[in-house]
Amino acid sequence: MTPLRNGHRLDMPLDPCAVVIFGASGDLAKRKLMPALFNLARGHHLPAGFAVVGVSRSRMDDESFREHMRQAVAEFGGDEVPDALWDSFARNLFYVAEDFADARCNSALPGRLAAIDAQCGTRGNRIFYLAMPPSVYPEIVRLLGERGVAGPTGPAEGWKRIIIEKPFGRDLASARALNETALRVFAEDEIFRIDHYLGKETVQNLLVLRFGNGIFEPIWNRRYIDHVQITAAERLGVEDRGAYYEEAGVVRDMIQNHIMQLLCLVAMEPPVAFDAEAVRNEKVKVLRALRPIGANDVEHFAARGQYGAGLVAGTPVPAYRGEPGVAPQSITETFAAVKFLIDNWRWADIPFYVRSGKCLPKQATEISIEFRRAPHLLFGGTPADRLEANVLALRIQPDEGISLKIIAKRPGPGLRVRPVTLDFGYESAFGAHTPSAYETLLLECIRGDATLFARGEWVEQAWGHVMPIIDTWQSVEPGNFPNYEAGSWGPQEADVLLARDGRVWRRL
C-alpha cells in the first residue's frame, strides 16, 4: 500500500494477530476503523488468523457488537456490504464490556484474548488501538502492563504493538510524560503514534515525486525555490466540539501534528533507505534545524484569528463565541498562520508559510512549492509585466492529485504568453479504489512498519517549536477577536505576514 518499501515486502505473508480497540463503541471506531478493517478484508489484505476485539463500557455481547459494526460499515464504508463477505469477517469480531481504564475493574480482557488466540489462531500477536479520549491514554497503557496483557509481564508468545491517536500530549511536558509511560510497557518500535495525514496517497507520493523523478530533486533547494506554502483549510466550524476546541485551538489541533509532518516531508534530505529508521531520522533532522520562534518573535512570525458570524457556502454560521461549549469572551484561535525558517544548507532563508483555520471558504489541504521567477523578460511588455512563477501543487484533500503551473505561448500571432496547468488526479489516472488513510496505516502496523508513524523524539521536537506561540497567545489577549468573517480566508494579520516579504497566499 505504501510506496516506501521495496516491492517484495508486499508479497510477504502477514503474521496473524488480534486488533484490540479500546473505545470500540465510539465515533472513531464506527466511522474509520471498522470500515477500514472491513475494506482490508474485502481486498484480501488481512492475515489468515485475524480477530478484532472491541472494548468499551457500553453493554453489548458479541452478536450485538457485530450488528452494531455492520451498521457502521454500511453507513461509513462507502460500498455495499455483501452478506457472505460480512459473515466471514464478523465471525472473528468479539466484544468485552468493561471500563478497562478503571484500575478497580477486574478485567476479563486477558482471559478473553487467550481464548481468542486458541479459537482464531492469532498466536498472541496483538495490536492495541487507543480510540478513546487522550486523558485516559496513560492509565490504559499502565494497566496493560500491570494486568499482564503487554510489556515485560505480558504473555511470552507473540508480539505486542500499540497505536496511539493524536493528540499525543497537549504540550511538551505532557508529551514527554506520555512517552515515558508508554516506554515503560512498550519498546519504541512497538509504539505507533498515528497521524492519518501520513496515510493519504498524495502525502506518500510526495516522497516518490521527490526521490523517484530525476527532474525534481536537483531543483529542490534554495537556489530554485522561492518559498513553500502549506494550507489546511476547513469549511466547518467547531459545531458540537466547542468544549474540546476551547482546550485545543488550531495550533494544537492541526499545526503541531499534521502540518509539521507535511513540512518535514517537503524539507527532509534523501534517506539512506526507505525504512522506518532512515525516513524518521531525516524528519527529526528537519525539526532540529527549524529556527526557534521565541516569545519576542511571535508577533513577527505568527498570526492568529477567530471567526465571527458569516456565510459559508451560502449557509449562515454563528461566531465561534456563539458555538455551544465556547466561552463568551474566548481567546482560543480558530485560525493560525506561521512562518518557519530552516537553518540548513538546503533551505537557508527560504520561508515555509503554513496556515490552518475553520470556517474558511472551502475544504482543502495543499502543499504548494513556488519556484523563483524567470530572471529576464524576453517576451515583450514592461518590467512590471513579470511572468508568473512556476508552482508545483500537491493536493492532499479532497481531490488528491498534483499540478504544475508553467508558462506557455497563447495561440495566435505574436508572442503572447499565459500560465497553464499540467494536472494529475489519482482517480482519473488510476481509477481503482484508493485506500483510506486508516486502511493504509492499519496494514502498516500489522506489518510492523513504522515509516508512516511519528517517533517519540519527533513529537517532542514538534511541541517544542509550537509551545512559545501557544504560551505567548495565552498570556496576551488579542483584543480584536473575532477578526475574520466566517466564509473568508482568515484575518488580515495572516496576509500581512506574507506581505512583509513581498508575497501573497496562493488562491485555492
Side-chain angles (χ1 to χ4, degrees):
M1 307 266 300
T2 171
L4 308 183
R5 183 187 303 106
N6 292 330
H8 71 274
R9 277 285 309 274
L10 294 174
D11 300 323
M12 293 177 64
L14 298 175
D15 292 340
C17 67
V19 176
V20 182
I21 302 175
F22 293 100
S25 62
D27 269 1
L28 179 61
K30 291 187 294 186
R31 291 174 178 268
K32 300 295 184 182
L33 303 185
M34 200 57 66
L37 289 168
F38 180 71
N39 282 333
L40 289 173
R42 188 199 299 268
H44 307 287
H45 295 302
L46 294 178
F50 185 78
V52 178
V53 184
V55 182
S56 77
R57 292 178 295 180
S58 301
R59 298 290 105 187
M60 286 187 283
D61 58 16
D62 290 349
E63 287 305 319
S64 56
F65 177 64
R66 291 165 183 166
E67 181 55 34
H68 192 56
M69 291 299 101
R70 175 164 190 162
Q71 293 172 10
V73 171
E75 183 176 358
F76 302 111
D79 293 308
E80 279 190 44
V81 183
D83 290 342
L85 182 57
W86 176 258
D87 291 343
S88 173
F89 177 71
R91 69 170 61 104
N92 289 338
L93 300 186
F94 305 94
Y95 187 75
V96 176
E98 67 180 35
D99 183 0
F100 188 85
D102 185 350
R104 300 166 299 178
C105 167
N106 185 18
S107 177
L109 182 61
R112 193 74 196 278
L113 287 174
I116 290 168
D117 283 340
Q119 179 178 342
C120 300
T122 46
R123 301 182 191 172
N125 297 325
R126 293 162 193 163
I127 294 172
F128 303 101
Y129 200 118
L130 303 189
M132 300 181 73
S135 58
V136 302
Y137 291 174
E139 187 66 3
I140 290 181
V141 172
R142 184 180 68 81
L143 291 172
L144 283 170
E146 286 187 4
R147 289 170 175 164
V149 184
T153 62
E157 183 184 21
W159 46 256
K160 310 295 182 290
R161 297 168 188 152
I162 187 166
I163 299 178
I164 302 179
E165 271 281 346
K166 84 166 190 77
F168 198 86
R170 70 177 311 276
D171 53 25
L172 179 57
S174 59
R176 283 176 175 162
L178 183 53
N179 273 334
E180 291 170 2
T181 299
L183 289 169
R184 292 190 194 105
V185 181
F186 297 90
E188 176 61 41
D189 63 2
E190 298 172 325
I191 303 171
F192 290 69
R193 301 168 187 85
I194 193 168
D195 183 336
H196 73 274
Y197 266 48
L198 294 183
K200 292 182 179 292
E201 289 292 324
T202 313
V203 173
Q204 298 172 64
N205 202 44
L206 172 56
L207 294 183
V208 176
L209 180 81
R210 284 189 58 187
F211 305 129
N213 296 282
I215 63 173
F216 289 119
E217 183 55 24
I219 60 172
W220 207 268
N221 55 58
R222 66 185 302 274
R223 290 185 62 194
Y224 299 99
I225 291 176
D226 179 80
H227 71 279
V228 176
Q229 294 185 22
I230 302 175
T231 297
E234 296 184 83
R235 198 156 70 172
L236 296 176
V238 296
E239 299 183 309
D240 60 351
R241 299 171 71 234
Y244 159 76
Y245 215 79
E246 279 288 87
E247 296 295 321
V250 73
V251 175
R252 284 188 170 96
D253 193 46
M254 293 293 293
I255 291 179
Q256 182 274 333
N257 38 73
H258 300 326
I259 289 181
M260 294 291 262
Q261 286 282 4
L262 298 180
L263 184 152
C264 287
L265 290 173
V266 173
M268 63 184 277
E269 295 298 316
V272 296
F274 279 117
D275 60 39
E277 189 68 11
V279 172
R280 300 199 298 179
N281 281 346
E282 297 304 332
K283 288 163 67 176
V284 168
K285 288 179 185 177
V286 174
L287 294 188
R288 289 176 181 166
L290 208 64
R291 185 181 300 178
I293 298 175
N296 294 331
D297 302 321
V298 170
E299 181 182 356
H300 301 287
F301 281 84
R304 57 175 161 169
Q306 185 187 94
Y307 65 84
L311 293 174
V312 178
T315 301
V317 173
Y320 174 73
R321 292 177 175 180
E323 301 276 20
V326 174
Q329 300 301 318
S330 171
I331 63 169
T332 299
E333 81 285 352
T334 63
F335 179 100
V338 185
K339 172 184 172 181
F340 288 111
L341 295 171
I342 301 173
D343 292 330
N344 64 15
W345 192 269
R346 183 184 292 264
W347 297 111
D349 302 322
I350 301 303
F352 283 65
Y353 302 105
V354 308
R355 60 175 171 170
S356 183
K358 289 190 169 294
C359 280
L360 302 183
K362 64 188 295 186
Q363 185 88 8
T365 300
E366 182 189 270
I367 302 168
S368 66
I369 319 298
E370 182 165 319
F371 293 89
R372 296 189 184 277
R373 298 172 190 267
H376 178 60
L377 187 64
L378 293 176
F379 310 114
T382 68
D385 300 325
R386 298 178 66 197
L387 294 175
E388 291 191 29
N390 301 124
V391 177
L392 178 67
L394 294 97
R395 301 186 302 273
I396 310 301
Q397 64 179 13
D399 177 26
E400 293 183 287
I402 301 170
S403 68
L404 175 63
K405 184 171 73 173
I406 64 171
I407 302 301
K409 179 187 177 298
R410 298 176 64 177
L415 195 57
R416 296 181 302 163
V417 298
R418 58 166 290 182
V420 295
T421 300
L422 310 179
D423 195 79
F424 152 72
Y426 269 93
E427 186 174 347
S428 59
F430 297 115
H433 164 73
T434 299
S436 72
Y438 280 95
E439 288 175 54
T440 297
L441 295 172
L442 283 165
L443 185 57
E444 293 305 286
C445 186
I446 294 170
R447 292 184 186 282
D449 189 333
T451 303
L452 299 179
F453 296 81
R455 196 163 70 192
E457 181 185 3
W458 186 96
V459 170
E460 293 183 17
Q461 287 274 350
W463 275 119
H465 283 291
V466 301
M467 285 313 301
I469 300 172
I470 293 172
D471 290 341
T472 299
W473 284 351
Q474 288 181 340
S475 64
V476 180
E477 292 198 12
N480 63 342
F481 276 7
N483 63 348
Y484 73 96
E485 184 178 335
S488 71
W489 276 108
Q492 183 180 4
E493 289 88 338
D495 297 329
V496 171
L497 188 67
L498 270 68
R500 293 193 197 108
D501 299 336
R503 301 182 176 99
V504 297
W505 290 107
R506 171 175 157 84
R507 295 184 63 181
L508 300 184

